[in-house]
Amino acid sequence: MQILLLIVFVVAALTAAAYARLNLRGWAGAMLLAAAAIAFYFQITALWAVILLMAPALVTLLISLPAIRKPLVSRPIMRLIKPILPQVSETEQAALDAGTVGLDAEIFSGQIDLAALRAVPKRAFTAEEQAFLDGPTAQLCEMLDDWQIRQDRDLPPEVWDFLKDQGFLGMIIPKAYGGLEFSAHAQSEVVSRIASRSGAAAVSVMVPNSLGPGELLSHYGTEEQKQHYLPRLAKGLEVPCFALTGERSGSDAASMRDVGVVTRGTYEGKEVLGIRVSWDKRYITLAPIATLLGLAFYLTDPDGLLGGEPEIGITVALVPRDHPGNVMGYRHDPAGGAFMNGPTWGQDVFIPMEFVVGGQAMLGQGWRMLMEQLAVGRAISLPAVGTTGTKSALRIISAYALVRRQFELPIGKMEGIAAGLAEIAADAYVLEAARSLTNAYLVQGQKPSVLSAVFKYQATDRLRGALNHAMDIQGGKAICDGPSNLLLAAYQGVPVAITVEGANILTRSLITFAQGSLRGHPYLLKEIQALQDGDLEAFDAAMTGHVGWMAATKARAFWHNLTGGHLLKLGADVPKPLAAHYRQLSRAALSFAHLSNVVLVSFGGGLKARQMVSGRMADCLSELYFMAAGLKYWEDLGSHDEDLPLIDFVMQRHLFALQEAMRDVLGNLPAGLGWAVSPVIFPRGAWRRPARHAQIRKVAAMVQVPGPQRDRFTPSVYVPQTRERDSLAVLERAFVMAHDNQDLYRKVKQGARKLGLRAFHDRDWYDVLQEHKVLNAEEAERLRALERLVHQVAAVDRFAHNSFLAGEADGFQWQD
C-alpha cells in the first residue's frame, strides 16, 4: 500500500511540475523534495525512495545540464527523427512565410487569450463605406434580376456599366490611383449583399477585388505599372482576370507546365529583352470578357541572359487581351452559372520584361506573391458568398416553413422540419460570426492564411449543407426552376464555390492542419528548420522546450478534463451567461493541443499520407475557431439574452462535433496509442451528447418570428424595396402576415371543424365562415389577402411549351 501511495504521489508531483511548466532542473528539484518528504512521512526505506524518486530525479538533473544533454540526448534524437519529420519544400516555405498567426497559434498552444479575443474591434464601416452600401450597392441590388441574368447567361449591359462607373471593380485599389480602398469589412459586405441577389453579379464583382492584377499591382507593381493600370482598373476601363490553373496543374498549382524562356525579341519595332511563353489555362473567371490577363508561368533562363541560375521560378506577367498570340474569348459552362468563365492559351508568345509585375526585379517571385495575397483574398470573397448563401437559405426557408401549411399547421412546427431549420440557423450564425472576426483580423493588418483556408472550406461546405436542408424542406417547388424559385440557382452554384481557390477536399485534408501545425505550433517549425540546417544548438533549445510544453499541456488537459473545465480561470469581465461556454472552449483547446502533439509525434512526415487523420484534425481546428467567433459575436451584437438559446445550441453542436472528430482520430492512432491518450482527453467519458430535441425546437421557433432577432441572424440579405413582385419580397410579406394572423388560422380551423367545412379551389369558405359568425368582415378580408400571398409563395413557375423548348424566359406566367 505504501508503494502504491508513493507512486500516486510521484505521479501527482510530476503532474504538478508539468502543469507549472517547470524546466528540467525544476522537475528534478521537485522530485528530490518529494522523495525526502514521502520517505519521511511513510517511513519507507531510503533505498525505495532513491529507486522510485531520487534516481529519476538525478537522471533528470543530469539531462538538464546542456553539456551532458546535447551530446548524449539531443544529437542522437536529431539523427533518429530527421528521416521522420516532414521536409519543408520551397513552395511550402513560401506558403508558410506568406501569412501571419494569431488565434490559430493560440488554439494550437492550447491557451486561447480570451481577453484579446473579446477585445478585437467589432465590425464597423466608415461614413464613406456606409454611404456606398446604402447608395450604389442598394441601387445595384434593386437592378438585379437573377432569373433574367441566368437566361441571358450574362449581366445586362446597364449593370456592367453601373459596376464600372460606380467603382465596384476597384474596391481594393488605393484612392491615390482612383480606387475606393475599402476595408475588408466593406468589401465583404458589398459582395454579401450582391450575392443575396445574384451569384453571377457577386462573382463579377469579387474577382477583380481578389487575387488578380489589381491586388498584385497594388503590392508589387512598379510605379509606372501602377500609374498606367490601376486608374483604368478602378474605373472599369480594364477588366482583369488571373490565369493560374492549367490542364495538369490544378490543386498542385506550383507544378504548372506553362513555361517561359528568357530571350530577346521584337516589341513595338524594337529588339528588347523579354520572355517567350506558352500557356494553356482553364477555369479562368472573367477571361471571356477580360481586357487584361494576369498570367502565372514557370520561368527559365537557359542561355544565362540574366546572368544567374537557369531555373528562375514562378513569375507573374500582365498580358493585354489584344497582344499577338494571346487567345481569349471562349467560355466554359460552370454548373450552368451565368458568370463569365473560360480558357486562355498561347504558344511561343513573346512578351517584354515590362509586362512582368514588378519588372525584372520580381522574376521568380510569383509564388510568394500569390501566397501572400491569397492569405487575404481567400478570407473575403468566397466566405462572403458562402455565409450569405447560408443566411439567405435561412431567411427564405424559415419564412416558407411558417407560410406553408400541411395537416392544418405550418410545416415549421413539425419536428422533422424544425431539425433542418435549427441546423441552418446554427450554421448561419457561426459563419456570420467568423466573417466578422476574420475580417477584423484583416483590418488589423493580419494575414491569417490558416484561418482563411479554414473559413473558405467551411463556409462553402456549410452552404452546401444549408441548401440541402432548405431544398428538402421546400420539396417539389425547390426543384422546379423559374423566377419564383429562390433556392435552385444557389444550389447549382455550390460545387463552383467548393472547387475554386483551393478545392475543399484538398484544403481540408492536406493544407489546414499540416500548415496550421507548422505555423501555429510553438516548437515544431523551429525543430524542422534546425534539423534541415543541422543546427544542434537550435534543435536542443526547441526540443527541450517542446518536451516541457508537451508535458505541461498533457497535465493541464487531463486535469481540466477530469474536473470538467469548471476550475479554469476567466477574466472578471467575462459575461456571466457565457462563462461556462468560455470554460468549455478553453478546455477543448487544451485537448486539441495535446492531441495535435500526439498526432505529430505518431505520424511525423507520414502525416501527409494520412489525410483522413489530417482532415479530422482540420475539422477540430474549425470547430474551435467557430466556437470562439460565435461567443465573441454574441457580445458584438449587443449581448441579447433572447439569443442565448441559439448560443447554447451552437456550443452544444460544435463541442459534440469536436468530440466526435477527436474520437475518430484516437481510434486511428498507430499501435493502439489511442487507448493511452484517450484517458487524458476523456477521463470521465464523452463530454457531450447531441443537442436535446427541446433545444432544436426552440431554435427553430426563434427563426420563424419576424422582427429584430431574425434580422440579426440574417444580416446582409437584401430584400427588394421597389420590386413589388420580386419573389423574396412576396415571401417576406406573406411571412409577416401569416405570423400576425396565426390566431385567425386557429379560429378558422375550429370553426371549419364545427361546421364540417373543407377548403376547395372553387369555394370562398371565408364567406361561409363569415355567415356563421366565425369571422367578421375585416378578418375574412385579411385572410383572403393572406391567401393570395400564400398562393404566390406556393406557386410553381410554368412555361408555354414552345418557349420552354426554345430556352426562352418569356413563357413564364405570373399567377395572380
Side-chain angles (χ1 to χ4, degrees):
M1 176 61 72
Q2 287 181 336
I3 295 175
L4 179 62
L5 289 172
L6 179 61
I7 293 172
V8 171
F9 273 96
V10 169
V11 172
L14 291 173
T15 301
Y19 192 95
R21 297 193 67 173
L22 297 176
N23 58 26
L24 290 174
R25 294 181 189 179
W27 279 40
M31 285 189 284
L32 287 171
L33 290 173
I38 293 170
F40 175 78
Y41 183 81
F42 289 106
Q43 298 181 354
I44 61 175
T45 65
L47 179 62
W48 273 109
V50 168
I51 293 173
L52 294 174
L53 271 177
M54 296 185 70
L58 289 171
V59 171
T60 303
L61 184 61
L62 289 173
I63 292 176
S64 71
L65 301 174
I68 297 175
R69 181 181 66 247
K70 289 177 186 178
L72 297 183
V73 179
S74 298
R75 191 181 299 279
I77 290 177
M78 277 187 75
R79 296 194 187 113
L80 178 67
I81 68 174
K82 188 170 184 177
I84 299 175
L85 282 179
Q87 296 293 306
V88 179
S89 66
E90 288 186 18
T91 53
E92 288 174 325
Q93 189 64 52
L96 291 172
D97 294 339
T100 59
V101 294
L103 179 58
D104 48 337
E106 295 174 9
I107 292 173
F108 272 100
S109 71
Q111 294 181 302
I112 297 177
D113 187 338
L114 298 181
L117 171 67
R118 295 175 60 236
V120 174
K122 66 181 181 180
R123 179 166 49 213
F125 305 112
T126 66
E128 183 181 5
E129 291 169 344
Q130 189 63 57
F132 190 86
L133 291 167
D134 296 339
T137 305
Q139 189 176 345
L140 173 63
C141 288
E142 292 290 333
M143 295 170 66
L144 296 172
D145 181 343
D146 190 56
W147 168 252
Q148 194 60 51
I149 290 169
R150 289 193 288 130
Q151 298 309 297
D152 296 340
R153 307 304 298 275
D154 193 6
L155 304 180
E158 61 271 20
V159 169
W160 274 115
D161 290 342
F162 188 80
L163 293 176
K164 295 173 182 179
D165 294 342
Q166 297 296 322
F168 281 91
L169 308 187
M171 290 190 292
I172 62 168
I173 294 176
K175 291 180 180 179
Y177 299 98
L180 297 177
E181 199 175 345
F182 278 174
S183 68
H185 283 312
Q187 292 176 48
S188 176
E189 188 68 12
V190 170
V191 171
S192 293
R193 296 190 188 189
I194 299 171
S196 71
R197 298 295 297 151
S198 167
V203 170
S204 301
V205 168
M206 76 187 197
V207 167
N209 291 290
S210 187
L211 180 63
E215 190 168 34
L216 294 171
L217 283 169
S218 296
H219 291 89
Y220 311 106
T222 65
E223 188 57 34
E224 183 179 359
Q225 290 172 336
K226 292 178 181 179
Q227 292 289 351
H228 176 72
Y229 280 118
L230 290 181
R232 296 177 60 79
L233 289 166
K235 295 302 180 185
L237 300 176
E238 299 278 7
V239 176
C241 69
F242 186 74
L244 179 62
T245 302
E247 179 185 353
R248 303 297 181 89
S249 54
S251 297
D252 185 13
S255 67
M256 65 181 67
R257 298 189 180 186
D258 313 284
V259 64
V261 179
V262 177
T263 185
R264 301 193 71 84
T266 302
Y267 177 67
E268 294 183 343
K270 299 179 182 178
E271 184 180 303
V272 296
L273 184 66
I275 302 167
R276 192 164 299 280
V277 60
S278 298
W279 72 92
D280 185 3
K281 303 288 191 178
R282 59 185 181 179
Y283 313 144
I284 312 306
T285 301
L286 296 187
I289 62 167
T291 62
L292 184 63
L293 170 68
L295 179 65
F297 56 91
Y298 190 87
L299 182 63
T300 65
D301 182 19
D303 297 329
L305 296 181
L306 299 177
E309 296 293 327
E311 300 292 322
I312 296 175
I314 293 174
T315 300
V316 177
L318 300 179
V319 184
R321 181 187 186 90
D322 58 1
H323 188 73
N326 180 14
V327 182
M328 301 172 69
Y330 291 83
R331 287 186 73 169
H332 296 313
D333 185 5
F339 65 93
M340 291 290 170
N341 184 277
T344 174
W345 65 90
Q347 184 69 35
D348 291 331
V349 177
F350 179 78
I351 61 174
M353 282 294 176
E354 65 187 62
F355 281 16
V356 175
V357 175
Q360 194 166 321
M362 296 303 289
L363 295 175
Q365 298 298 308
W367 190 249
R368 175 179 65 83
M369 293 157 59
L370 298 179
M371 291 300 99
E372 287 177 354
Q373 298 316 307
L374 188 62
V376 175
R378 186 164 52 187
I380 299 176
S381 298
L382 281 168
V385 171
T387 300
T388 297
T390 305
K391 292 181 297 183
S392 293
L394 174 61
R395 192 160 188 106
I396 292 164
I397 211 61
S398 61
Y400 185 85
L402 186 71
V403 172
R404 179 69 165 163
R405 299 176 70 88
Q406 294 286 277
F407 308 105
E408 299 186 330
L409 80 160
I411 62 172
K413 303 295 183 184
M414 302 176 186
E415 286 198 347
I417 304 296
L421 285 174
E423 291 288 315
I424 300 172
D427 279 335
Y429 177 83
V430 296
L431 288 177
E432 183 63 16
R435 182 171 81 99
S436 178
L437 181 58
T438 306
N439 289 334
Y441 287 143
L442 297 177
V443 170
Q444 290 180 331
Q446 296 188 39
K447 294 182 178 180
S449 55
V450 173
L451 294 181
S452 69
V454 165
F455 192 18
K456 183 270 170 180
Y457 95 74
Q458 284 284 343
T460 52
D461 197 63
R462 289 176 188 270
L463 169 62
R464 172 166 52 186
L467 286 168
N468 282 342
H469 283 306
M471 294 285 287
D472 286 348
I473 292 170
Q474 198 167 74
K477 178 177 171 61
I479 62 174
C480 294
D481 207 359
S484 68
N485 191 316
L486 295 169
L487 294 173
L488 190 57
Y491 182 80
Q492 292 172 330
V494 164
V496 177
I498 282 173
T499 301
V500 299
E501 288 192 3
N504 284 6
I505 193 169
L506 169 81
T507 303
R508 172 181 174 269
S509 62
L510 261 180
I511 295 176
T512 301
F513 181 70
Q515 288 193 4
S517 58
L518 285 172
R519 289 303 312 271
H521 194 284
Y523 298 100
L524 181 61
L525 186 57
K526 296 175 184 177
E527 290 168 330
I528 292 174
Q529 289 174 335
L531 283 171
Q532 291 187 172
D533 297 340
D535 188 337
L536 178 61
E537 291 287 336
F539 178 79
D540 179 73
M543 184 197 68
T544 52
H546 192 167
V547 170
W549 175 74
M550 277 184 66
T553 301
K554 179 178 180 180
R556 295 180 71 231
F558 172 73
W559 173 248
H560 288 302
N561 284 319
L562 185 65
T563 58
H566 298 299
L567 300 182
L568 277 160
K569 294 181 180 179
L570 303 175
D573 61 338
V574 169
K576 189 174 180 181
L578 299 189
H581 291 321
Y582 273 123
R583 287 193 176 93
Q584 294 308 309
L585 171 64
S586 298
R587 167 196 182 188
L590 270 171
S591 298
F592 172 76
H594 175 57
L595 185 58
S596 295
N597 276 321
V598 173
V599 166
L600 292 168
V601 170
S602 301
F603 295 109
L607 183 61
K608 287 183 179 181
R610 299 300 302 270
Q611 292 161 23
M612 285 186 281
V613 170
S614 180
R616 290 304 266 160
M617 291 301 290
D619 293 341
C620 294
L621 177 62
S622 303
E623 302 297 343
L624 287 161
Y625 184 53
F626 282 137
M627 284 189 283
L631 293 177
K632 173 184 163 43
Y633 192 54
W634 181 77
E635 296 186 67
D636 288 351
L637 288 178
S639 305
H640 297 279
D641 288 344
E642 62 266 33
D643 295 349
L644 287 173
L646 177 59
I647 307 303
D648 295 340
F649 176 64
V650 163
M651 289 298 293
Q652 181 80 3
R653 182 172 178 254
H654 285 272
L655 281 169
F656 180 75
L658 172 65
Q659 167 190 284
E660 295 307 291
M662 286 184 166
R663 293 172 75 171
D664 191 13
V665 172
L666 288 169
N668 287 281
L669 292 176
L673 187 58
W675 289 98
V677 179
S678 186
V680 176
I681 299 176
F682 302 112
R684 298 165 53 182
W687 295 342
R688 283 289 186 275
R689 299 288 184 266
R692 296 177 62 83
H693 295 173
Q695 278 184 296
I696 295 171
R697 289 193 298 268
K698 195 166 190 176
V699 170
M702 289 166 61
V703 297
Q704 293 180 75
V705 178
Q709 184 182 55
R710 183 168 176 267
D711 292 341
R712 283 197 298 275
F713 297 160
T714 57
S716 312
V717 176
Y718 189 87
V719 179
Q721 305 299 310
T722 62
R723 301 170 67 94
E724 187 176 326
R725 285 190 165 185
D726 182 273
S727 298
L728 181 57
V730 171
L731 176 59
E732 287 286 322
R733 293 200 300 274
F735 171 60
V736 173
M737 200 168 182
H739 176 268
D740 293 345
N741 288 281
Q742 291 183 88
D743 289 342
L744 281 185
Y745 268 130
R746 283 189 286 268
K747 200 173 181 181
V748 167
K749 179 179 177 180
Q750 292 169 0
R753 283 185 175 178
K754 186 175 180 180
L755 297 171
L757 294 177
R758 288 191 63 186
F760 294 104
H761 287 306
D762 60 349
R763 175 191 295 176
D764 183 354
W765 72 335
Y766 296 125
D767 265 348
V768 179
L769 291 169
Q770 189 177 342
E771 289 173 9
H772 287 82
K773 309 299 183 183
V774 175
L775 299 173
N776 61 37
E778 187 273 333
E779 290 172 335
E781 187 53 41
R782 212 188 321 158
L783 287 173
R784 289 189 192 96
L786 175 55
E787 283 295 304
R788 288 192 290 271
L789 287 173
V790 171
H791 175 67
Q792 291 300 331
V793 168
V796 175
D797 301 303
R798 60 195 185 202
F799 303 85
H801 183 63
N802 291 337
S803 62
F804 180 79
L805 291 177
E808 298 171 3
D810 60 1
F812 168 70
Q813 299 177 15
W814 184 271
Q815 301 173 44
D816 288 317

